[in-house]
């Protein structure tokens, strides 16, 4: 028993020593990186559940996703609007979407760094990227047309510049900006 206590004490001392060797700035950066990844994973999961569960089931009952859902008694918000509405409820950081061919200017990358991140995700090798951009930590998670209805909606939208979307296509990213 004493051997385990001694081992535990040595382990704690080792971990404290290791923590002291990591500069505080690096520890803060690592924490922001991890926070961004957790936020992105949670937002992506919530949106996926909304698309595959809520929208799919509600559509069977006669409701339909509609850009002007608040004006339609049988309308419901689009999946992109769902993410943006989540972001509006959060004051501690920005949560939104950026698109490769955004229908609205508000969904365009906000900086040259964000454009680079989006281009890197479009290559398909990375699923999530977190980096610093002008003093803020920015994270992006690749976003794909996860249902035929996603592609169909974008193809039919009057503001679209691309009319050949299909299920599985890379469409942009969910983005989090930590100040």
């Amino acid at each position: 028993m004493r051997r385990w206590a001694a081992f535990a004490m040595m382990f704690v001392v080792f971990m404290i020593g290791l923590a002291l060797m990591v500069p505080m700035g690096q520890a803060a950066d690592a924490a922001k990186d991890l926070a961004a990844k957790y936020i992105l994973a949670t937002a992506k999961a919530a949106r996926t559940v909304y698309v595959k569960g809520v929208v799919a089931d509600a559509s069977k009952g006669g409701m339909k996703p509609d850009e002007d859902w608040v004006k339609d008694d049988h309308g419901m918000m689009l999946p992109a609007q769902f993410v943006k509405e989540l972001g509006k409820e959060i004051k501690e950081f920005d949560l939104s979407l950026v698109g490769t061919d955004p229908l609205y200017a508000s969904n365009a990358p906000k900086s040259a760094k964000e454009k680079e991140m989006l281009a890197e995700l479009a290559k398909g090798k990375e699923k999530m990227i977190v980096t610093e951009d002008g003093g803020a930590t920015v994270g992006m998670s690749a976003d794909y047309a996860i249902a035929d209805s996603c592609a169909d909606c974008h193809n039919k939208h009057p503001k679209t510049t691309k009319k050949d979307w299909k299920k599985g296509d890379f469409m942009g990213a969910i983005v989090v900006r930590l100040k």
Side-chain angles (χ1 to χ4, degrees), residues 10-24 26-27:
M10 287 187 331
F11 180 74
V12 168
V13 170
F14 172 75
M15 293 305 291
I16 291 171
L18 186 62
L20 292 173
M21 291 183 346
V22 176
M24 291 301 286
Q26 286 180 354

Side-chain angles (χ1 to χ4, degrees), residues 32-148:
K32 284 184 177 181
D33 184 270
L34 189 58
K37 289 177 179 175
Y38 284 153
I39 292 164
L40 289 168
T42 302
K44 192 167 192 159
R47 207 282 304 278
T48 299
V49 167
Y50 181 74
V51 170
K52 292 184 174 181
V54 177
V55 173
D57 288 347
S59 295
K60 291 175 189 172
M63 292 184 74
K64 61 180 174 122
D66 186 342
E67 192 168 21
D68 292 321
W69 63 278
V70 292
K71 297 176 185 174
D72 183 352
D73 289 340
H74 297 288
M76 57 193 304
M77 67 178 66
L78 297 169
Q81 291 170 316
F82 178 75
V83 172
K84 292 179 92 167
E85 289 298 316
L86 282 174
K88 286 180 186 176
E89 293 295 319
I90 301 165
K91 306 299 179 224
E92 295 78 14
F93 54 85
D94 295 329
L95 178 68
S96 193
L97 299 164
V98 291
T100 56
D101 292 283
L103 301 174
Y104 298 99
S106 63
N107 293 343
K110 305 287 184 238
S111 68
K113 179 58 94 176
E114 287 190 14
K115 287 179 186 175
E116 289 174 23
M117 294 170 72
L118 195 58
E120 187 63 31
L121 287 173
K123 293 177 185 176
K125 294 178 184 174
E126 300 293 331
K127 299 291 182 208
M128 191 180 295
I129 298 174
V130 179
T131 191
E132 290 298 310
D133 184 15
T137 300
V138 177
M140 287 189 187
S141 179
D143 194 23
Y144 300 90
I146 60 175
D148 288 326

Side-chain angles (χ1 to χ4, degrees), residues 1-8:
M1 192 67 154
R2 290 179 192 225
R3 228 184 286 170
W4 282 108
F7 175 75

